[in-house]
Amino acid sequence: MEGVDHLAFERNKAQFDVDEMKIVWAGSREDFELSDRISRLVASDPVFRKDDRAALGRKELFKNTLRKAAHAWKRVIELRLSGEFSALEPEAYKLRAFVDQPAFTDLHWGMFVPAIQGQGTDEQQQKWLPLAYRMQIIGCYAQTELGHGSNVQGLETTATFDPKTDEFVIHSPTLTSSKWWPGGLGKVSTHAVVYARLIIDGQDYGVHGFIVQLRSLDDHLPLPGITIGDIGMKFGNAAYNTMDNGVLTFDHVRIPRNQMLMRVSQVTREGKYVHSNVPRQLVYGTMVYVRQKIVADASVALSRAVCIATRYSAVRRQFGSHNGGLETQVIDYKTQQSRLFPLLASAYAFRFVGEWLLWLYTDVTERLKAKDFSTLPEAHACTAGLKSLTTTATADGIEECRKLCGGHGYLCSSGLPELFAVYVPACTYEGDNIVLLLQVARHLVKTVSQLSTGNKPVGTTAYMARLEQLLQYHSDVKKAEDWLKPNVVLEAFEARAARMCVACAQNLSKFSNPEEGFQELAADLVEAAVAHCQLIVVSNVYALSLLHKHLGDFISTGCIDPKQGSLANEQLRNLYSQVRPNAVALVDAYNYTDHYLGSILGRYDGNVYPKLYEEAWKDPLNDSIVPDGFKEYIQPLLKQQLRNARL
Ligand SMILES: CCCCCCCC(=O)SCCNC(=O)CCNC(=O)[C@H](O)C(C)(C)COP(=O)(O)OP(=O)(O)OC[C@H]1O[C@@H](n2cnc3c(N)ncnc32)[C@H](O)[C@@H]1OP(=O)(O)O
Ligand SMILES: Cc1cc2nc3c(=O)[nH]c(=O)nc-3n(C[C@H](O)[C@H](O)[C@H](O)COP(=O)(O)OP(=O)(O)OC[C@H]3O[C@@H](n4cnc5c(N)ncnc54)[C@H](O)[C@@H]3O)c2cc1C
């Protein structure tokens, strides 16, 4: 019935203050109030309706997205939600909260602006950022090519300096050098930060960033020498097809020399290449920035799926009825809890590790300003590793939440198929997850190899300083509740990570060619990197379900024995019983509106069945009793079969 809270009985079980937890989840009271205000504004604005997307064709879907993005920007300005332009996140965050589907604004604010902020000189920032902040130009991040994405050093687009005209000539020498994938590129962006090989006087100086105008600001037509378009439909129906991921080729396009982003390296008027003594990898700074954002995004995506699956698991009853009584809530099945509650914990864990990573990123950015590069490797390893870990776990977690909802989880009206389809490319974009874990593995192996030189490991590898102790470590857990002691859990995770890293380093040392060894042992190295990244999350938050999931590692590395493993599992079951009465309250604390969740199964009031039934009839297929095509194709078939049967 309308207006009845079918989950009130669950909410009454909560053993903590949900309103306080809402503040914890949001980060602060003002963040809570801002996000609460925006989400209610969006939910009440008909422009941002979401229930029609599944039935739209690609062009209508895209046009609808442009309409939403334009309206969102207007609302951000009208409501004066746009804080100091230099504070980037609020703009991107606010717009994404309004539009809530992939749109060109994600890349304008999420990559184009940060690239100029991070790699542009002060003069370049003064020229380009005000245009971008006021959206007088719309930008994208054009790095990936048809032939290269992971291997940035393999990019083929060229930027050749012409001293006669003081320009760079941007060119796509091969088909595989076509820019391919950049979001917002296909139909909307007027400008791009283009990553190309800097060529001066025949010498190749590697990949650098260049600001290139792509389209006229008058008629939006591509400028001379520019061929540009959309790369076509992507995974899922609506999903990422609201975004114009594009293809772009250059035919000797000229740009002024001052459009090379020159904070890290410069080219003088005379064509001299100047590379201040900073790591060349600073040119990758935008990717590092986005990877740390993606970790926070993972907690949002996973929490949406967990909210839907938790509320529905409390509503759904199946089996267990005695003498005609109520059947059992599926959330009471231990199997449902063992699949759902670790994801509930993960959503919170990723939220908090995302906060920590933002601190780390902010710290390294401040240090870079002072030319202190000491924590750059740590920042790269942590952003790469946690981006990989959290996106893999979130993509798998959203799919698990679909399965936790049974058949109804497969309906678009559950919100889960679209959430999955929009989310899964996060395992690929901003760095393929395996490629990034191999970067972490390089960092770990290098750390282990430097221990013998007296090099003191710092930051998240500091535990390696206790290698001797960790290699002797064996857990002294005697009873299940011993696993509730944070230091007991932490030591087990440290020992496992240390032993897996050392085992890889020792095996690598058997190869005369280290690179060959690295390739041969890549799968083991990835597992060691995962163990290290899980330790980072654990040292910031949660653990036992991970320990249970990776019990093989813990036992094979000798950190714990099977008995201790079963005690951990026993403690896990105890914890599930403690989570159970708080489960619905824990997902209420995310403070998601029904509009934002876009899910009948995840409705706040739990009024699922009447709404599922009501929604079904809205499907266009139900516009007619007899479906189009029946009379042309099926009726003749039936009649023919009937005639055949009478013969
Ligand atoms: C809402 C969100 C929307 C997002 C939309 C998606 C947008 C995108 O996808 S944009 C495109 C993203 N593309 C990528 O992420 C490409 C991934 N590839 C890369 O980052 C690089 O090619 C990479 C790191 C794998 C290899 O780089 P490469 O220059 O070959 O370096 P490599 O030879 O491996 O390492 C050299 C050194 O640089 C270091 N290094 C590499 N990258 C970095 C970095 N980012 N920061 C600091 N150091 C780095 C390495 O650790 C290594 O250090 P050391 O010498 O001490 O061992
Ligand atoms: C939705 C979406 C949006 C995107 N938006 C943008 C954007 O705005 N701008 C932009 O520039 N790019 C964008 N991209 C491109 C994206 O960044 C790349 O696709 C991504 O970096 C992966 O690179 P790749 O496609 O070359 O994968 P590949 O590297 O070709 O991966 C293929 C397989 O090879 C494996 N592999 C590759 N190298 C190694 C290795 N050394 N060792 C072991 N295994 C390896 C990978 O693990 C993977 O299994 C987007 C992509 C998607 C899907």
Side-chain angles (χ1 to χ4, degrees), residues 604-640:
Y604 183 84
D605 65 5
N607 188 27
V608 170
Y609 294 134
K611 291 299 179 186
L612 268 187
Y613 189 80
E614 184 185 304
E615 187 68 16
W617 299 105
K618 293 179 190 168
D619 188 279
L621 211 50
N622 291 320
D623 289 352
S624 62
I625 302 293
V626 178
D628 286 352
F630 178 80
K631 288 195 170 56
E632 296 92 312
Y633 307 112
I634 305 303
Q635 202 156 43
L637 177 81
L638 284 172
K639 284 187 175 153
Q640 180 57 48

Side-chain angles (χ1 to χ4, degrees), residues 128-144:
W128 292 99
L129 289 180
L131 297 170
Y133 287 152
R134 295 187 182 85
M135 293 193 83
Q136 289 163 344
I137 61 173
I138 296 173
C140 64
Y141 184 89
Q143 176 178 293
T144 302

Side-chain angles (χ1 to χ4, degrees), residues 96 106-107 110-111 141-144 149-154 181-183 240 243 245 279-285 287-288 290-291 293-294 297 376-377 379-381 383 387 425 428-432 435-436 439 442-443 446 450:
R96 285 176 68 190
D106 294 349
L107 282 304
M111 296 205 78
Y141 184 89
Q143 176 178 293
T144 302
S150 291
N151 179 10
V152 177
Q153 289 312 312
W181 270 114
Y240 227 94
M243 173 80 82
N245 297 90
R280 72 170 171 81
Q281 284 80 15
L282 287 184
V283 77
Y284 296 160
M287 293 187 278
V288 175
V290 177
R291 288 171 191 152
K293 295 291 292 173
I294 286 176
D297 289 352
L376 195 59
H380 171 47
T383 48
K387 181 269 179 189
T428 305
Y429 62 54
E430 220 52 70
D432 165 84
V435 170
L436 294 182
Q439 286 288 308
R442 279 185 193 282
H443 178 62
K446 187 172 181 179
Q450 289 175 342

